[in-house]
Each structure stands twice: as C-alpha cells, then as structure tokens.
Amino acid sequence: MMTLLYIALTIAGCIALAFAFRLLGRSAGTAASRKLFRQMPLTAAFGIFVILLYAIVAIGAPVIAPYGEAQIFAATNAFPGQIPEHILGTDQIGRDLLTRLIYGARNTVGIALVTALLTFVLGATLGFLAATLGGWVDQLLSRTVDVLMAIPQLIFALLLITIVGQSTINMILILAVLDSTRVFRLARAVGVNIVVMDYIEAAKLRGETLPYLIFREILSNAVAPLLAEFGLRFCFVFLSIAALSFLGVGIQPPLADWGSMVRDLSGFINFASINFSLAALPLMAAGAIALLTIAVNFVVDWMLHRSSGLKE
C-alpha cells in the first residue's frame, strides 16, 4: 500500500513540475519560445525540464558534487543516513554515492551524446550518398548494412570490444558504427524520395557538387525526421552504454557511470529486510537511466507530432 502511495505522489509531483515549467515558459523568454510553450503538452514540458536538469548536473558536476569522482573514504558500504557527510552512503570501496551519481550523469550522458552524434554523421552521410548515387554504391552500402543488422547489436558489440580491447574510445566507435546502420536505413529512405524532386534535378543541371546536393539540398529537407530519429537513437545508445557498463566492458573505472553503479550496488537488495533504504541504492542509478529515457521519448513523440502536421 505504501509503495502505491509513493508512486502516486511521484506521478503527482512530476505533473506539478511539468505544469509549473510550462507556465514559466509561457510567461518568460522570447515570443517564439512562449508560443512554443503554449502549444506544448505536459509530457513534452516534463521531458524538456528533465533534459535541462540532466544537462545542468552533467556540466556542473565538479561544482555540484560534494567530493572528487574517485575520492575514497574509510567508511565502506555505508547506507543512506548512516554518516552525515555521505547523504546517500558509500560503495564497497568507500566512494561517495551521491558524487558518483552526479558524475555518472556527466560520463554516461556525455559519452552517449558523443556516440549518437557520431552515429548520425556516419549513418546520414552514407544514407544520403547511397540515395543520391544509386547503382552499385547503393547496393554495396545497403547489403553491408543488412549484414550488420542481421547480428544482434549487443552481442556483436561485446564480441568486437573483446577483440579490440576495452576502452571508452573503442566502445564509442563500435557503437557508432553498429547503430549507424539504423540511421542509414532512414536517411536512405528519406533521401530516395527527395532526390527525385525538381529542385534536385535543377541543382544537378546547374552543376552543383555531390557534397552540395547532400548537405544543402537533401539534408535541409530531411531535418524533421532525422531530429526525431536522433532522439530515439540517443536513447538506444544510452541504454547500450549502460548495458555494456553493467556487464563490465563499457565505461571503465575510475570514471563513474550508472550502468556499473547498478551492478556494484545490486548486492544491497539482499539486505533490504534490515534497512529498506539499502534496496533503493541500486534503484537510484537505474531510475536515473529510466527517467532520462522516458523524458527523451516524450520530447521525440512531441517532435514527431509537430513534424507530421497533426493537430491536437
């Protein structure tokens, strides 16, 4: 019964935050931003609020965090409230959990954002290239993408990381290449519909170069679906990084990340009967992952609704 009460209070708090944030956006900012907030549903307002909050925490982690990211203290496995200096307790080697949670936003979200950007640069460029040139270039790229997509992504990523070695750079490059196949399919599908337009033919007759056709003509008319896809790709990349870190092959120590925090703190659930707060320790990092994923999906859903031209 208490669990249902907590859930209800959490949902009510989220609705109140979204309403207050949307109300603030309607009364402050530029005319364009106020108009945007007037048209915005509560879910999108909540999503934008959460994304901004995560961005502030990630950028200001060195200032917000009470201790250093890898700083170790004498007290180990302290539960929340046991030591006043460590509000959320400490982990198995004495690192402050609140600090690790804050720096986890910087590392997990930051690395996911870099990976998603690299994914889109690679996938969209090759997808538009295949749509523009066609012929054997299209066939070669499309069949290569089909082969890569036929293999489960997480298993393939684990295999490649095992071969090339565990490092953050290797993980970023591997995930970017594997996830760019999804972006390639979308970019090619959108590009095929654009390259037959009259203005593309006119640009070809003017003698415009291939980079001009791709980045000035095609890309400018494919921004809406690509932006929506970027939000979805970011979520999948974010969850993939957390999964790899949970398995021990993702972001490596001493960097803090939420995936490895869930793994390291999962043992505290066994002591929940002694102290209920111990059960919440692994859920903090898992909840941070879930909250950002939900927020990004809310914003993406709103962007898709706007780009489709549908009315409320």
Side-chain angles (χ1 to χ4, degrees):
M1 194 67 181
M2 290 298 297
T3 303
L4 293 176
L5 179 61
Y6 288 145
I7 293 174
L9 290 175
T10 302
I11 294 174
C14 291
I15 294 174
L17 279 174
F19 184 81
F21 181 68
R22 188 174 65 171
L23 191 63
L24 177 64
R26 290 177 174 180
S27 58
T30 63
S33 67
R34 290 198 298 269
K35 180 181 178 181
L36 196 64
F37 272 94
R38 283 195 295 269
Q39 300 172 346
M40 185 183 298
L42 276 178
T43 53
F46 174 75
I48 293 175
F49 174 79
V50 171
I51 292 171
L52 288 176
L53 180 63
Y54 274 60
I56 292 171
V57 172
I59 295 172
V63 178
I64 299 173
Y67 304 106
E69 182 177 8
Q71 191 172 353
I72 297 176
F73 298 90
T76 60
N77 291 326
F79 55 82
Q82 182 179 2
I83 303 176
E85 293 80 9
H86 306 289
I87 299 175
L88 297 182
T90 58
D91 63 8
Q92 70 276 12
I93 63 173
R95 295 173 299 191
D96 182 70
L97 288 179
L98 177 60
T99 299
R100 301 288 289 178
L101 194 66
I102 292 172
Y103 272 98
R106 188 176 199 177
N107 297 325
T108 309
V109 178
I111 291 173
L113 182 60
V114 171
T115 306
L117 289 172
L118 185 58
T119 295
F120 257 74
V121 170
L122 181 61
T125 302
L126 293 179
F128 291 146
L129 185 66
T132 305
L133 295 179
W136 67 269
V137 175
D138 183 18
Q139 289 298 318
L140 177 63
L141 292 174
S142 297
R143 300 296 78 77
T144 303
V145 165
D146 289 342
V147 172
L148 292 175
M149 292 184 68
I151 306 173
Q153 182 173 325
L154 186 59
I155 296 176
F156 201 12
L158 285 170
L159 175 62
L160 293 177
I161 290 175
T162 303
I163 293 173
V164 302
Q166 297 180 17
S167 72
T168 302
I169 299 298
N170 289 341
M171 181 189 66
I172 290 174
L173 294 176
I174 289 171
L175 287 179
V177 170
L178 295 181
D179 219 45
S180 65
T181 56
R182 277 74 179 173
V183 182
F184 172 88
R185 295 290 291 269
L186 175 66
R188 181 188 175 278
V190 174
V192 166
N193 292 327
I194 294 177
V195 294
V196 298
M197 297 295 180
D198 292 339
Y199 57 85
I200 299 294
E201 294 298 328
K204 291 179 179 178
L205 292 174
R206 292 197 309 266
E208 301 292 355
T209 61
L210 183 61
Y212 180 90
L213 291 175
I214 291 177
F215 296 109
R216 292 294 298 275
E217 298 289 352
I218 299 177
L219 181 60
S220 61
N221 290 281
V223 170
L226 287 180
L227 280 178
E229 180 66 14
F230 179 80
L232 295 176
R233 284 302 109 205
F234 172 79
C235 287
F236 283 111
V237 169
F238 177 65
L239 293 174
S240 296
I241 291 175
L244 290 173
S245 297
F246 181 83
L247 296 173
V249 296
I251 301 173
Q252 297 299 307
L255 294 179
D257 78 282
W258 293 333
S260 61
M261 284 185 67
V262 174
R263 180 196 64 215
D264 295 338
L265 298 175
S266 59
F268 282 106
I269 296 179
N270 298 325
F271 302 97
S273 58
I274 302 174
N275 190 315
F276 181 76
S277 62
L278 295 178
L281 290 177
L283 297 179
M284 291 187 300
I289 296 171
L291 182 60
L292 181 59
T293 305
I294 293 170
V296 173
N297 274 283
F298 278 159
V299 177
V300 169
D301 183 67
W302 175 56
M303 290 173 60
L304 284 172
H305 186 83
R306 281 173 54 85
S307 63
S308 67
L310 296 175
K311 302 299 181 183
E312 293 288 351

